Amino acid sequence: MSSLRRTLDFRSVSDHTWNVDEVVSELRKLRDQFEMSEFRNHGKLPNRRQLTSILERLSSALFPVRLSARDFPNGNVDYFVGHTLDIVLTELVEEVNRELLFLSEYQSSEHYQASVEDLRQKSVQIVREFAAKLPGIRALLESDIQAAFDGDPAATCSDEILACYPGTTAIIHYRVAHALYSLGAPLVARIISEIAHSLTGIDIHPGATIQERFFIDHGTGVVIGETAKIGRNVRLYQAVTLGAKRFMSSEEMKRQKGIDRHPIVEDNVVIYAGATILGRVTIGAGSIIGGNVWLTTSVAPGSNISQAKVRHESFDEGLGI
């Protein structure tokens, strides 16, 4: 069968088989119903694809010699960094402005009834303050990379950690997202965190507070909730959860929004693979939490928590039945 014949046959089927008019009608009804609800909004969300590009180029500006694809034979690194930041920060203003315009349509939003120009100026101010934080973000990331090198005997150099470790990728996204979250762009920050989640399997809410020298080893399945607080020199392994307890009802969930509900992990704590820590509990400084441990109570400093030993009994020739 020729390609033209296949094309004609395909068009013939698609025109008469899918009941597209009916589907479109039902989708329109659902849209109308949604727009009449309290969530009615016509603004455009920040663009995830654009934010992905922004993060890639921002990372290359933070680590130009190590993450940029460019060579700098004449030592013009500062020019590259300045040029890249100028473009990236301008684009970031557009994404922050999308968020503020989107939120402005809710009566409960702090931006409600603000003019378009006011929101534009606020977007510029948020990004200006974010730019001022970039040297501090770079310093924190250097401490995180050093912690990974110190804590992983398999690491050959810091450049390997920066280029290859998913935990480091997630932390770069987190530290950028946390700054934007703190400055008043929580939706942009959440999208940035979810980009990292998709890339690495590591889910760090941008509202979490994480001090320097933070290391996530392997990383897949790690979850860190919005109100978690993590101290200095903390190490997590894969599948660790720092989460909240289950809500019994939607009303209880509403009451808990904005309340501290995730763990506090103090300095110099190690939490091994699969451990789950729930609620506003404190893991005291210097503690070690073993793999697959389930904790919903606080732990004193210097504790070493592991699973109870499995009891094993052997019954021979029918004994114990």
CSV table of all heavy atoms in Angstrom, one decimal, residues 45-52 55 95 99 173 177 185-198 206:
chain,number,residue,atom,x,y,z
A,45,LEU,N,-0.3,30.0,33.7
A,45,LEU,CA,0.6,29.6,34.7
A,45,LEU,C,2.0,29.8,34.2
A,45,LEU,O,2.3,29.9,33.0
A,45,LEU,CB,0.4,28.1,34.9
A,45,LEU,CG,-0.8,27.7,35.7
A,45,LEU,CD1,-1.1,26.2,35.5
A,45,LEU,CD2,-0.7,28.0,37.2
A,46,PRO,N,3.0,29.9,35.1
A,46,PRO,CA,4.4,29.9,34.7
A,46,PRO,C,4.7,28.7,33.8
A,46,PRO,O,4.2,27.6,34.0
A,46,PRO,CB,5.2,29.8,36.0
A,46,PRO,CG,4.2,30.4,37.0
A,46,PRO,CD,2.8,30.0,36.6
A,47,ASN,N,5.6,28.9,32.9
A,47,ASN,CA,5.8,27.8,31.8
A,47,ASN,C,6.9,26.9,32.3
A,47,ASN,O,8.1,27.3,32.5
A,47,ASN,CB,6.3,28.5,30.5
A,47,ASN,CG,6.4,27.5,29.4
A,47,ASN,OD1,7.3,26.7,29.4
A,47,ASN,ND2,5.5,27.6,28.5
A,48,ARG,N,6.6,25.6,32.5
A,48,ARG,CA,7.5,24.7,33.0
A,48,ARG,C,8.7,24.5,32.1
A,48,ARG,O,9.9,24.4,32.6
A,48,ARG,CB,6.8,23.3,33.3
A,48,ARG,CG,7.7,22.2,33.8
A,48,ARG,CD,7.0,21.0,34.1
A,48,ARG,NE,7.8,19.9,34.5
A,48,ARG,CZ,7.7,19.1,35.5
A,48,ARG,NH1,6.6,19.2,36.3
A,48,ARG,NH2,8.5,18.1,35.8
A,49,ARG,N,8.5,24.4,30.8
A,49,ARG,CA,9.6,24.2,29.9
A,49,ARG,C,10.6,25.4,29.9
A,49,ARG,O,11.8,25.2,29.9
A,49,ARG,CB,9.0,24.1,28.4
A,49,ARG,CG,10.1,23.8,27.4
A,49,ARG,CD,9.5,23.6,26.0
A,49,ARG,NE,8.7,22.4,26.0
A,49,ARG,CZ,8.1,22.0,24.9
A,49,ARG,NH1,8.1,22.7,23.8
A,49,ARG,NH2,7.4,20.8,25.0
A,50,GLN,N,10.0,26.6,30.0
A,50,GLN,CA,10.9,27.8,30.1
A,50,GLN,C,11.7,27.8,31.4
A,50,GLN,O,12.9,28.1,31.4
A,50,GLN,CB,10.0,29.0,30.0
A,50,GLN,CG,10.8,30.3,30.0
A,50,GLN,CD,11.6,30.5,28.7
A,50,GLN,OE1,11.5,29.8,27.8
A,50,GLN,NE2,12.5,31.6,28.7
A,51,LEU,N,11.0,27.4,32.5
A,51,LEU,CA,11.8,27.3,33.8
A,51,LEU,C,12.8,26.2,33.8
A,51,LEU,O,13.9,26.4,34.4
A,51,LEU,CB,10.8,27.1,34.9
A,51,LEU,CG,9.9,28.3,35.3
A,51,LEU,CD1,8.8,27.9,36.3
A,51,LEU,CD2,10.8,29.4,35.9
A,52,THR,N,12.6,25.2,33.1
A,52,THR,CA,13.6,24.1,32.9
A,52,THR,C,14.9,24.7,32.2
A,52,THR,O,16.0,24.5,32.7
A,52,THR,CB,13.1,22.9,32.1
A,52,THR,OG1,12.0,22.4,32.8
A,52,THR,CG2,14.2,21.9,31.9
A,55,LEU,N,16.7,27.1,34.5
A,55,LEU,CA,17.5,26.5,35.6
A,55,LEU,C,18.8,25.9,35.0
A,55,LEU,O,19.9,25.9,35.6
A,55,LEU,CB,16.7,25.3,36.2
A,55,LEU,CG,16.1,25.7,37.6
A,55,LEU,CD1,17.2,25.8,38.6
A,55,LEU,CD2,15.3,26.9,37.6
A,95,GLU,N,8.3,34.8,34.1
A,95,GLU,CA,7.6,33.7,34.8
A,95,GLU,C,7.1,34.1,36.1
A,95,GLU,O,6.0,33.7,36.5
A,95,GLU,CB,8.6,32.5,34.9
A,95,GLU,CG,9.2,32.0,33.6
A,95,GLU,CD,8.1,31.7,32.6
A,95,GLU,OE1,7.1,31.1,32.9
A,95,GLU,OE2,8.2,32.2,31.4
A,99,GLU,N,3.0,34.2,37.4
A,99,GLU,CA,2.5,33.8,38.7
A,99,GLU,C,1.7,34.8,39.4
A,99,GLU,O,0.5,34.6,39.9
A,99,GLU,CB,3.6,33.3,39.6
A,99,GLU,CG,3.1,33.0,41.0
A,99,GLU,CD,4.2,32.4,41.9
A,99,GLU,OE1,5.2,32.0,41.4
A,99,GLU,OE2,3.9,32.3,43.1
A,173,HIS,N,18.5,22.7,42.5
A,173,HIS,CA,17.1,23.2,42.3
A,173,HIS,C,16.4,23.6,43.6
A,173,HIS,O,15.7,24.7,43.6
A,173,HIS,CB,16.3,22.0,41.6
A,173,HIS,CG,16.5,21.8,40.2
A,173,HIS,ND1,17.7,21.3,39.7
A,173,HIS,CD2,15.8,22.0,39.1
A,173,HIS,CE1,17.7,21.2,38.4
A,173,HIS,NE2,16.5,21.6,38.0
A,177,ALA,N,15.0,27.3,44.3
A,177,ALA,CA,13.5,27.4,44.5
A,177,ALA,C,13.2,27.9,45.9
A,177,ALA,O,12.3,28.7,46.1
A,177,ALA,CB,12.9,26.0,44.4
A,185,ALA,N,7.5,34.0,45.4
A,185,ALA,CA,7.1,33.4,44.1
A,185,ALA,C,7.0,31.9,44.4
A,185,ALA,O,7.7,31.1,43.8
A,185,ALA,CB,8.1,33.7,43.0
A,186,PRO,N,6.0,31.5,45.2
A,186,PRO,CA,5.9,30.0,45.6
A,186,PRO,C,5.5,29.1,44.5
A,186,PRO,O,6.0,27.9,44.5
A,186,PRO,CB,4.9,30.0,46.7
A,186,PRO,CG,4.0,31.3,46.4
A,186,PRO,CD,5.0,32.3,45.9
A,187,LEU,N,4.8,29.6,43.5
A,187,LEU,CA,4.3,28.7,42.4
A,187,LEU,C,5.5,28.4,41.5
A,187,LEU,O,5.7,27.3,41.1
A,187,LEU,CB,3.2,29.3,41.7
A,187,LEU,CG,2.5,28.5,40.5
A,187,LEU,CD1,2.1,27.1,41.0
A,187,LEU,CD2,1.3,29.2,39.9
A,188,VAL,N,6.3,29.4,41.1
A,188,VAL,CA,7.5,29.2,40.3
A,188,VAL,C,8.4,28.3,41.1
A,188,VAL,O,9.0,27.4,40.5
A,188,VAL,CB,8.2,30.6,40.0
A,188,VAL,CG1,9.6,30.4,39.5
A,188,VAL,CG2,7.4,31.4,39.0
A,189,ALA,N,8.5,28.5,42.4
A,189,ALA,CA,9.4,27.6,43.2
A,189,ALA,C,8.9,26.2,43.2
A,189,ALA,O,9.8,25.3,43.0
A,189,ALA,CB,9.5,28.2,44.6
A,190,ARG,N,7.6,26.0,43.3
A,190,ARG,CA,7.1,24.6,43.2
A,190,ARG,C,7.4,23.9,41.9
A,190,ARG,O,7.7,22.7,41.8
A,190,ARG,CB,5.6,24.6,43.5
A,190,ARG,CG,5.2,24.8,45.0
A,190,ARG,CD,5.8,23.7,45.9
A,190,ARG,NE,5.5,22.4,45.5
A,190,ARG,CZ,4.4,21.7,45.8
A,190,ARG,NH1,3.5,22.3,46.5
A,190,ARG,NH2,4.2,20.4,45.4
A,191,ILE,N,7.2,24.7,40.8
A,191,ILE,CA,7.5,24.1,39.5
A,191,ILE,C,9.0,23.7,39.4
A,191,ILE,O,9.3,22.6,38.9
A,191,ILE,CB,7.1,25.1,38.4
A,191,ILE,CG1,5.6,25.3,38.4
A,191,ILE,CG2,7.5,24.5,37.0
A,191,ILE,CD1,5.1,26.3,37.5
A,192,ILE,N,9.9,24.6,39.9
A,192,ILE,CA,11.3,24.2,39.9
A,192,ILE,C,11.6,23.0,40.7
A,192,ILE,O,12.4,22.1,40.2
A,192,ILE,CB,12.1,25.4,40.4
A,192,ILE,CG1,12.0,26.6,39.4
A,192,ILE,CG2,13.6,25.0,40.6
A,192,ILE,CD1,12.6,27.9,39.9
A,193,SER,N,11.0,22.8,41.8
A,193,SER,CA,11.2,21.6,42.6
A,193,SER,C,10.6,20.4,41.9
A,193,SER,O,11.3,19.3,42.0
A,193,SER,CB,10.4,21.8,44.0
A,193,SER,OG,11.0,22.8,44.8
A,194,GLU,N,9.5,20.5,41.2
A,194,GLU,CA,9.0,19.4,40.5
A,194,GLU,C,9.8,19.0,39.3
A,194,GLU,O,9.8,17.9,38.9
A,194,GLU,CB,7.5,19.6,40.1
A,194,GLU,CG,6.6,19.6,41.3
A,194,GLU,CD,6.7,18.3,42.1
A,194,GLU,OE1,6.7,17.2,41.5
A,194,GLU,OE2,6.8,18.4,43.3
A,195,ILE,N,10.5,20.0,38.7
A,195,ILE,CA,11.4,19.7,37.6
A,195,ILE,C,12.5,18.8,38.2
A,195,ILE,O,12.9,17.7,37.6
A,195,ILE,CB,12.0,21.0,37.0
A,195,ILE,CG1,10.9,21.7,36.3
A,195,ILE,CG2,13.2,20.6,36.1
A,195,ILE,CD1,11.4,23.2,35.9
A,196,ALA,N,13.1,19.1,39.3
A,196,ALA,CA,14.1,18.3,40.0
A,196,ALA,C,13.5,16.9,40.3
A,196,ALA,O,14.2,15.9,40.2
A,196,ALA,CB,14.6,19.0,41.2
A,197,HIS,N,12.3,16.9,40.8
A,197,HIS,CA,11.6,15.6,41.2
A,197,HIS,C,11.5,14.7,40.0
A,197,HIS,O,11.8,13.5,40.1
A,197,HIS,CB,10.2,16.0,41.8
A,197,HIS,CG,9.5,14.8,42.4
A,197,HIS,ND1,8.2,14.9,42.7
A,197,HIS,CD2,9.9,13.5,42.6
A,197,HIS,CE1,7.8,13.7,43.2
A,197,HIS,NE2,8.9,12.9,43.2
A,198,SER,N,11.2,15.3,38.9
A,198,SER,CA,11.1,14.5,37.6
A,198,SER,C,12.4,14.0,37.2
A,198,SER,O,12.6,12.8,36.7
A,198,SER,CB,10.5,15.3,36.5
A,198,SER,OG,9.1,15.7,36.8
A,206,PRO,N,10.0,23.5,48.3
A,206,PRO,CA,10.9,24.7,48.5
A,206,PRO,C,10.7,25.4,49.8
A,206,PRO,O,11.5,26.3,50.1
A,206,PRO,CB,10.4,25.5,47.3
A,206,PRO,CG,9.1,25.0,46.9
A,206,PRO,CD,9.1,23.6,47.2
